[in-house]
DNA sequence: TTTGTGAACCAATTCGCGAATGGTTGCGAT
DNA sequence: ATCGCAACCATTCGCGAATTGGTTCACAAA
């Protein structure tokens, strides 16, 4: 899924063809374990529509970020896999949560600082929507997805493609399967309200174009995260500042 | 080649088998344009030695970092290609030199700061050797290799595997083929002495365990680089500090 | 005219299989 | 014991056929 794109969509697409509505509804039932949809030819005949009509519907779903397609490969639900995947898996095996927080503590406040200077009004509105999604999330897994989307949106708003790539690497390492149990143990009802308030403080600082405040708010947020998470891994919280 | 490893080697390996000496001598003449050596079986018969003796020699060369091997693929001279390659090429196509310096200006001083706290005496001695290699380099291409090795050694000394991975990505983007002509134009005899002096200042700060001075020296170095290079690309020098 | 349909073709990818290659083991000679 | 030789294992490559998304075209339907 791509939470960031979903919320950015208008809800008035029902005037589209019937194929789109049918496809959107059955999307989660059609794909296999790997998220792969049947080939376009099979899917078209299976749904009783022409291939061209099917492709128009798929174009909409792709623009919404619900699916991704690649010639010769197939059509898949979810987000297109990133080139950072292999590198992130390799790094995840050689680093540890303390190092990840040490890096985040230096990178993410800088991204927030730049976002305060460069974020558009759409960026800021989207950040607020994403923080609402975090607050209203029904379960921990979706909450993690929205939280990741918010941090990514801030990184995007910093307006530096290389910095965004660096952030993506860090984020993928953080979310590596090897540390899944740690993330599950870190889920903490009491801390949720704190996180949402800290997110709001970061967004407010960006909205008021205050780079120093944005960086400080982000630093405080990541420090809170590290204090809540690292002890669960039996690790010390690093003292170094940004 | 792996300049960092080469200089770290002791010179007393001549008591090894004759095959090793022969192989080490002819190494640069045996590989093809891609750095590939002949298959072990062919190479063994070609050198008139048994495959086992050849493999023992290759093990030494691999440990020295002069070659790398992979089952089913072959044996190659030089450094094993990094997983960061694909991602770096992709990022190089979406970023630009200004963004690269913006990121370096935030990442490398931090690495130098950490190196001041964590570098070993071997690290520091190696840094000085590498700066001498830069000074004594015969041509610009090898000078670039030694310079890269020095910056990498500083990143290694920071003692954070994830940060090292981030630095590797940035470095590979910086060295992307697409910007080769820019790097060539940036070669400047007059600036060489400045760079070597700035490197020495960084190493001195690390050696005296002064994190702030190390970070400041690195910041000054990268600012000098950006002032010398970015105008060649018709770009403004970014003002933001670390 | 406009739109949709089916078919054919293009381009990128995958799959299967044999060959090549580094990694490993075992046997026999020295 | 050590060395040389051979055989075998695991991974990768190369190539061709099949698969799959991307595109074009002619024709029919609205």
């Amino acid at each position: 899924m791509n939470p960031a794109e979903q919320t950015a969509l208008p809800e008035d697409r029902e005037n589209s063809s019937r194929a789109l509505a049918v496809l959107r509804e059955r999307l989660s039932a059609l794909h296999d374990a790997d998220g792969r949809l049947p080939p376009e030819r099979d899917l078209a005949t299976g749904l009783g529509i022409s291939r061209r009509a099917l492709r128009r519907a798929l174009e909409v779903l792709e623009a919404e970020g619900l699916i991704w397609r690649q010639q010769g490969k197939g059509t898949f639900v979810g987000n297109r896999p990133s080139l950072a995947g292999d590198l992130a898996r390799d790094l995840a095996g050689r680093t540890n949560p303390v190092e990840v927080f040490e890096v985040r503590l230096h990178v993410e406040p800088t991204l927030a600082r730049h976002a305060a200077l460069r974020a558009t009004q759409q960026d800021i509105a989207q950040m607020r929507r994403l923080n609402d999604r975090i607050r209203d999330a029904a379960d921990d897994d979706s909450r993690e997805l929205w939280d990741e989307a918010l941090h990514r949106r801030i990184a995007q708003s910093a307006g530096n493609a290389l910095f965004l790539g660096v952030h993506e690497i860090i984020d993928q390492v953080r979310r590596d399967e090897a540390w899944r149990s740690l993330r599950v143990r870190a889920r903490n009802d009491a801390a949720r309200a704190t996180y949402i308030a800290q997110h709001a403080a970061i967004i407010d600082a960006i909205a008021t174009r205050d780079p120093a405040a944005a960086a400080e708010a982000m630093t405080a947020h990541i420090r809170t995260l590290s204090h809540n998470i690292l002890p669960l891994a039996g690790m010390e919280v690093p003292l170094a500042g940004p």
Side-chain angles (χ1 to χ4, degrees), chain A:
Chain A
M1 311 302 165
N2 190 335
E5 301 298 332
Q6 279 182 26
T7 54
L9 278 182
E11 307 284 346
D12 56 351
R13 279 251 175 226
E14 303 321 301
N15 55 352
S16 220
S17 82
R18 183 184 58 85
L20 175 57
V22 170
L23 195 56
R24 180 177 277 135
E25 185 176 337
R26 298 202 210 162
L27 195 60
S28 52
L30 286 172
H31 67 80
D32 66 5
D34 298 332
R36 178 181 204 143
L37 290 175
E40 290 185 354
R41 293 160 179 82
D42 299 357
L43 197 52
T45 60
L47 295 177
I49 58 180
S50 77
R51 192 178 161 206
R52 175 160 182 169
L54 170 65
R55 280 181 58 76
R56 267 207 308 270
L58 290 177
E59 283 165 16
V60 176
L61 296 181
E62 185 176 31
E64 293 177 359
L66 270 68
I67 64 170
W68 62 276
R69 303 183 286 177
Q70 186 167 354
Q71 181 176 149
K73 199 164 189 174
T75 304
F76 303 82
V77 302
N79 283 330
R80 183 184 305 269
S82 152
L83 287 173
D86 288 339
L87 178 61
R89 260 184 299 280
D90 178 56
L91 285 175
R94 283 182 296 164
T95 185
N96 58 62
V98 173
E99 292 190 350
V100 172
F101 273 111
E102 186 171 85
V103 175
R104 291 185 71 186
L105 210 45
H106 286 287
V107 168
E108 301 213 31
T110 298
L111 290 168
R113 179 186 297 116
H114 286 169
L117 298 171
R118 299 173 186 167
T120 67
Q121 290 304 323
Q122 285 84 9
D123 286 331
I124 294 166
Q126 179 67 3
M127 291 175 200
R128 295 202 191 281
R129 263 195 297 269
L130 288 169
N131 203 22
D132 290 343
R133 294 274 190 170
I134 297 170
R135 181 195 59 205
D136 301 336
D139 60 287
D140 291 310
D141 284 319
S142 62
R143 198 183 336 271
E144 276 185 14
L145 282 176
W146 295 114
D147 184 86
E148 172 203 338
L150 171 56
H151 282 263
R152 177 166 12 112
R153 188 77 181 201
I154 294 172
Q156 286 173 350
S157 303
N160 183 317
L162 179 56
F163 237 142
L164 178 58
V166 168
H167 178 267
E168 186 183 2
I169 281 283
I170 299 167
D171 193 54
Q172 290 215 16
V173 170
R174 178 181 68 80
R175 288 161 39 217
D176 190 83
E177 270 306 309
W179 300 344
R180 176 168 179 80
S181 73
L182 175 62
R183 292 202 309 280
V184 170
R185 272 179 293 149
R187 288 167 179 171
N188 179 342
D189 288 358
R192 277 188 214 159
T194 304
Y195 297 156
I196 292 167
Q198 289 180 328
H199 287 160
I202 296 165
I203 299 170
D204 287 343
I206 293 172
T208 57
R209 308 298 181 188
D210 187 339
E216 280 174 28
M218 182 62 90
T219 300
H221 177 48
I222 297 184
R223 276 196 200 283
T224 302
L225 287 171
S226 67
H227 276 89
N228 287 347
I229 292 176
L230 289 184
L232 298 175
M235 292 169 167
E236 291 285 330
V237 177
L239 300 174

